[in-house]
mmCIF file of all heavy atoms in Angstrom:
data_model
loop_
_atom_site.group_PDB
_atom_site.id
_atom_site.type_symbol
_atom_site.label_atom_id
_atom_site.label_comp_id
_atom_site.label_asym_id
_atom_site.label_seq_id
_atom_site.Cartn_x
_atom_site.Cartn_y
_atom_site.Cartn_z
ATOM 1 N N LEU A 74 235.870 119.615 172.768
ATOM 2 C CA LEU A 74 236.178 118.316 173.055
ATOM 3 C C LEU A 74 235.583 117.361 171.975
ATOM 4 O O LEU A 74 236.197 116.242 171.835
ATOM 5 C CB LEU A 74 235.507 117.862 174.415
ATOM 6 C CG LEU A 74 236.283 118.278 175.671
ATOM 7 C CD1 LEU A 74 235.444 118.066 176.845
ATOM 8 C CD2 LEU A 74 237.711 118.027 175.668
ATOM 9 N N LEU A 75 234.644 117.754 171.231
ATOM 10 C CA LEU A 75 234.071 116.849 170.178
ATOM 11 C C LEU A 75 235.205 116.565 169.140
ATOM 12 O O LEU A 75 235.175 115.617 168.422
ATOM 13 C CB LEU A 75 232.845 117.504 169.574
ATOM 14 C CG LEU A 75 231.585 117.585 170.325
ATOM 15 C CD1 LEU A 75 230.457 118.272 169.593
ATOM 16 C CD2 LEU A 75 231.117 116.000 170.726
ATOM 17 N N HIS A 76 236.171 117.441 169.048
ATOM 18 C CA HIS A 76 237.191 117.326 168.117
ATOM 19 C C HIS A 76 237.998 115.903 168.483
ATOM 20 O O HIS A 76 238.476 115.293 167.548
ATOM 21 C CB HIS A 76 238.192 118.427 168.166
ATOM 22 C CG HIS A 76 239.475 118.265 167.362
ATOM 23 N ND1 HIS A 76 239.453 118.219 166.037
ATOM 24 C CD2 HIS A 76 240.675 118.075 167.864
ATOM 25 C CE1 HIS A 76 240.736 118.098 165.584
ATOM 26 N NE2 HIS A 76 241.515 117.943 166.575
ATOM 27 N N LEU A 77 238.018 115.544 169.634
ATOM 28 C CA LEU A 77 238.788 114.422 170.078
ATOM 29 C C LEU A 77 238.087 113.161 169.886
ATOM 30 O O LEU A 77 238.662 112.084 169.983
ATOM 31 C CB LEU A 77 239.144 114.541 171.615
ATOM 32 C CG LEU A 77 239.994 115.689 171.958
ATOM 33 C CD1 LEU A 77 240.200 115.796 173.477
ATOM 34 C CD2 LEU A 77 241.360 115.716 171.289
ATOM 35 N N VAL A 78 236.807 113.164 169.408
ATOM 36 C CA VAL A 78 236.045 111.976 169.167
ATOM 37 C C VAL A 78 235.664 111.992 167.704
ATOM 38 O O VAL A 78 234.596 111.454 167.238
ATOM 39 C CB VAL A 78 234.796 111.913 170.029
ATOM 40 C CG1 VAL A 78 235.176 111.606 171.473
ATOM 41 C CG2 VAL A 78 233.832 113.083 170.033
ATOM 42 N N ARG A 79 236.544 112.450 166.813
ATOM 43 C CA ARG A 79 236.256 112.487 165.349
ATOM 44 C C ARG A 79 236.545 111.041 164.796
ATOM 45 O O ARG A 79 235.989 110.754 163.656
ATOM 46 C CB ARG A 79 237.246 113.453 164.591
ATOM 47 C CG ARG A 79 236.824 114.947 164.793
ATOM 48 C CD ARG A 79 237.854 115.829 164.209
ATOM 49 N NE ARG A 79 237.526 117.226 164.328
ATOM 50 C CZ ARG A 79 236.900 117.982 163.497
ATOM 51 N NH1 ARG A 79 236.519 117.340 162.316
ATOM 52 N NH2 ARG A 79 236.629 119.327 163.529
ATOM 53 N N LYS A 80 237.400 110.208 165.390
ATOM 54 C CA LYS A 80 237.724 108.958 164.852
ATOM 55 C C LYS A 80 237.251 107.682 165.693
ATOM 56 O O LYS A 80 236.985 106.665 165.118
ATOM 57 C CB LYS A 80 239.242 108.849 164.797
ATOM 58 C CG LYS A 80 239.962 109.881 163.787
ATOM 59 C CD LYS A 80 241.472 109.702 163.829
ATOM 60 C CE LYS A 80 242.118 110.639 162.839
ATOM 61 N NZ LYS A 80 243.575 110.421 162.679
ATOM 62 N N ARG A 81 237.123 107.752 167.028
ATOM 63 C CA ARG A 81 236.683 106.753 167.846
ATOM 64 C C ARG A 81 235.541 107.333 168.791
ATOM 65 O O ARG A 81 235.499 108.590 169.113
ATOM 66 C CB ARG A 81 237.865 106.242 168.782
ATOM 67 C CG ARG A 81 238.956 105.571 168.000
ATOM 68 C CD ARG A 81 239.929 104.926 168.842
ATOM 69 N NE ARG A 81 239.288 103.952 169.724
ATOM 70 C CZ ARG A 81 239.994 103.264 170.695
ATOM 71 N NH1 ARG A 81 241.174 103.539 171.015
ATOM 72 N NH2 ARG A 81 239.270 102.344 171.369
ATOM 73 N N SER A 82 234.554 106.437 169.142
ATOM 74 C CA SER A 82 233.383 106.802 169.905
ATOM 75 C C SER A 82 232.758 108.013 169.190
ATOM 76 O O SER A 82 232.250 108.933 169.909
ATOM 77 C CB SER A 82 233.915 107.170 171.282
ATOM 78 O OG SER A 82 234.425 106.050 172.007
ATOM 79 N N VAL A 83 232.635 108.082 167.919
ATOM 80 C CA VAL A 83 232.117 109.211 167.102
ATOM 81 C C VAL A 83 230.612 109.444 167.514
ATOM 82 O O VAL A 83 230.258 110.556 167.972
ATOM 83 C CB VAL A 83 232.302 108.986 165.711
ATOM 84 C CG1 VAL A 83 231.806 110.173 164.959
ATOM 85 C CG2 VAL A 83 233.798 108.753 165.367
ATOM 86 N N GLY A 86 230.083 109.951 171.300
ATOM 87 C CA GLY A 86 230.617 111.223 171.783
ATOM 88 C C GLY A 86 229.904 112.245 171.331
ATOM 89 O O GLY A 86 229.650 113.309 172.089
ATOM 90 N N LEU A 154 230.314 112.449 177.736
ATOM 91 C CA LEU A 154 231.232 113.040 176.705
ATOM 92 C C LEU A 154 232.715 112.783 177.146
ATOM 93 O O LEU A 154 233.534 112.336 176.365
ATOM 94 C CB LEU A 154 231.072 114.547 176.529
ATOM 95 C CG LEU A 154 232.068 115.277 175.673
ATOM 96 C CD1 LEU A 154 232.078 114.704 174.214
ATOM 97 C CD2 LEU A 154 231.707 116.853 175.654
ATOM 98 N N LEU A 155 232.961 112.963 178.393
ATOM 99 C CA LEU A 155 234.335 112.724 178.895
ATOM 100 C C LEU A 155 234.678 111.278 178.883
ATOM 101 O O LEU A 155 235.764 110.883 178.668
ATOM 102 C CB LEU A 155 234.515 113.236 180.383
ATOM 103 C CG LEU A 155 234.386 114.781 180.455
ATOM 104 C CD1 LEU A 155 234.298 115.140 181.931
ATOM 105 C CD2 LEU A 155 235.512 115.373 179.767
ATOM 106 N N LEU A 156 233.528 110.296 179.061
ATOM 107 C CA LEU A 156 233.801 108.962 178.965
ATOM 108 C C LEU A 156 234.124 108.607 177.564
ATOM 109 O O LEU A 156 235.014 107.744 177.236
ATOM 110 C CB LEU A 156 232.489 108.096 179.281
ATOM 111 C CG LEU A 156 232.566 106.730 179.161
ATOM 112 C CD1 LEU A 156 233.601 105.968 179.989
ATOM 113 C CD2 LEU A 156 231.165 106.034 179.574
ATOM 114 N N ALA A 157 233.470 109.200 176.545
ATOM 115 C CA ALA A 157 233.809 108.948 175.131
ATOM 116 C C ALA A 157 235.141 109.404 174.821
ATOM 117 O O ALA A 157 236.078 108.815 174.158
ATOM 118 C CB ALA A 157 232.862 109.777 174.260
ATOM 119 N N VAL A 158 235.676 110.618 175.428
ATOM 120 C CA VAL A 158 237.030 111.108 175.211
ATOM 121 C C VAL A 158 238.091 110.039 175.850
ATOM 122 O O VAL A 158 239.119 109.753 175.163
ATOM 123 C CB VAL A 158 237.177 112.436 175.913
ATOM 124 C CG1 VAL A 158 238.769 112.849 175.809
ATOM 125 C CG2 VAL A 158 236.471 113.408 175.111
ATOM 126 N N SER A 159 237.728 109.352 176.992
ATOM 127 C CA SER A 159 238.505 108.542 177.607
ATOM 128 C C SER A 159 238.614 107.167 176.844
ATOM 129 O O SER A 159 239.668 106.579 176.783
ATOM 130 C CB SER A 159 238.117 108.134 179.072
ATOM 131 O OG SER A 159 236.873 107.306 179.016
ATOM 132 N N ARG A 160 237.664 106.880 176.123
ATOM 133 C CA ARG A 160 237.636 105.731 175.251
ATOM 134 C C ARG A 160 238.601 105.867 174.085
ATOM 135 O O ARG A 160 238.965 104.781 173.496
ATOM 136 C CB ARG A 160 236.194 105.439 174.834
ATOM 137 C CG ARG A 160 235.285 104.874 175.900
ATOM 138 C CD ARG A 160 233.848 104.587 175.412
ATOM 139 N NE ARG A 160 233.771 103.603 174.485
ATOM 140 C CZ ARG A 160 232.624 103.187 173.856
ATOM 141 N NH1 ARG A 160 231.466 103.804 174.042
ATOM 142 N NH2 ARG A 160 232.596 102.266 173.049
ATOM 143 N N THR A 161 238.908 107.142 173.724
ATOM 144 C CA THR A 161 239.847 107.260 172.650
ATOM 145 C C THR A 161 241.210 107.065 173.099
ATOM 146 O O THR A 161 242.162 107.074 172.300
ATOM 147 C CB THR A 161 239.673 108.734 172.103
ATOM 148 O OG1 THR A 161 240.135 109.667 172.945
ATOM 149 C CG2 THR A 161 238.346 109.011 171.556
ATOM 150 N N GLY A 162 241.479 106.940 174.477
ATOM 151 C CA GLY A 162 242.778 106.862 174.992
ATOM 152 C C GLY A 162 243.365 108.085 175.384
ATOM 153 O O GLY A 162 244.577 108.197 175.925
ATOM 154 N N PHE A 163 242.691 109.273 175.260
ATOM 155 C CA PHE A 163 243.321 110.584 175.481
ATOM 156 C C PHE A 163 243.494 110.863 176.978
ATOM 157 O O PHE A 163 244.448 111.477 177.308
ATOM 158 C CB PHE A 163 242.516 111.753 174.847
ATOM 159 C CG PHE A 163 243.012 113.083 174.985
ATOM 160 C CD1 PHE A 163 244.179 113.403 174.080
ATOM 161 C CD2 PHE A 163 242.603 114.028 175.897
ATOM 162 C CE1 PHE A 163 244.642 114.657 174.093
ATOM 163 C CE2 PHE A 163 243.181 115.240 175.961
ATOM 164 C CZ PHE A 163 244.281 115.630 175.137
ATOM 165 N N VAL A 164 242.541 110.353 177.738
ATOM 166 C CA VAL A 164 242.617 110.587 179.235
ATOM 167 C C VAL A 164 242.235 109.233 179.940
ATOM 168 O O VAL A 164 241.521 108.419 179.351
ATOM 169 C CB VAL A 164 241.703 111.808 179.787
ATOM 170 C CG1 VAL A 164 242.264 113.089 179.318
ATOM 171 C CG2 VAL A 164 240.280 111.481 179.387
ATOM 172 N N TYR A 217 243.796 114.370 165.026
ATOM 173 C CA TYR A 217 242.437 114.023 165.296
ATOM 174 C C TYR A 217 241.436 114.177 164.147
ATOM 175 O O TYR A 217 240.265 113.725 164.172
ATOM 176 C CB TYR A 217 241.867 114.528 166.554
ATOM 177 C CG TYR A 217 242.496 113.858 167.884
ATOM 178 C CD1 TYR A 217 243.666 114.275 168.356
ATOM 179 C CD2 TYR A 217 241.856 112.689 168.473
ATOM 180 C CE1 TYR A 217 244.212 113.734 169.426
ATOM 181 C CE2 TYR A 217 242.392 112.186 169.634
ATOM 182 C CZ TYR A 217 243.632 112.636 170.049
ATOM 183 O OH TYR A 217 244.194 111.932 171.162
#
Side-chain angles (χ1 to χ4, degrees):
L74 286 177
L75 289 178
H76 172 72
L77 301 176
V78 293
R79 289 174 178 264
K80 295 181 178 180
R81 297 186 61 184
S82 298
V83 178
L154 174 58
L155 295 173
L156 177 60
V158 172
S159 72
R160 291 176 63 182
T161 69
F163 186 75
V164 290
Y217 281 85

